[in-house]
Amino acid sequence: MARVVSPVIWLQPDAPPKPATGAPCNGCGLCCLAEPCPIGVLVSRKRTGACRALVWSDEAHQYRCGMLVHPARYLGGPATHPDDALNRVLRRWARRLIAAGVGCDAQLEAVVALPAAPPAPSPSDAGEPSPASGTDAALPSPPSPPPSPSK
């Protein structure tokens, strides 16, 4: 039986949880971090891994598609203002390609990884004697003498 290996995707701690399939996008970023969409393949120049155009917004506490924010930047175009005519046209084109506003279509399941539990304190950590050694600490045994040379 083949073992299914799920990739680990690291999200910003403040990212919203993944919405239900069909619900409006809330900027969780899970789909774009898992693999690029068709336009992401174009701008990232790769078919797997996180999309290069995905950007985190500290103000909104959500991920945003760079092709909807400043598309010319991700297509290698000239340095332009985000609201100039070129970016408006590219933004409209990108919105249509990624089906923005249609709803979440990511068939992914997000699992929150909890930090590993700290090890249980041992009795010696609490300043109490270990039940195995009693109140007297065991002394290390002296080193054994070197073996005698064989003749």
Side-chain angles (χ1 to χ4, degrees):
M1 178 178 208
R3 182 175 169 213
V4 176
V5 179
S6 299
V8 174
I9 299 170
W10 298 102
L11 297 167
Q12 289 284 341
D14 293 338
K18 182 193 173 301
T21 302
C25 176
N26 65 0
C28 77
L30 186 60
C31 57
C32 301
L33 287 166
E35 63 185 11
C37 69
I39 197 166
V41 170
L42 175 69
V43 299
S44 295
R45 296 174 185 91
K46 61 182 182 177
R47 291 189 193 177
T48 59
C51 179
R52 185 175 77 87
L54 186 66
V55 293
W56 173 253
S57 169
D58 283 325
E59 300 81 37
H61 296 285
Q62 64 181 193
Y63 287 95
R64 295 208 168 132
C65 175
M67 291 299 293
L68 299 180
V69 176
H70 197 301
R73 177 181 296 161
Y74 296 97
L75 291 175
T80 59
H81 189 273
D83 292 325
D84 75 351
L86 174 63
N87 278 310
R88 285 195 310 268
V89 169
L90 289 172
R91 195 175 295 118
R92 207 171 310 130
W93 172 71
R95 186 169 287 132
R96 183 174 183 140
L97 281 178
I98 67 171
V102 172
C104 179
D105 64 354
Q107 300 293 320
L108 301 169
E109 178 184 354
V111 178
V112 176
L114 300 175
S122 68
S124 61
D125 291 343
E128 299 172 6
S130 169
S133 64
T135 55
D136 297 330
L139 298 174
S141 31
S144 56
S148 61
S150 57
K151 294 183 183 183

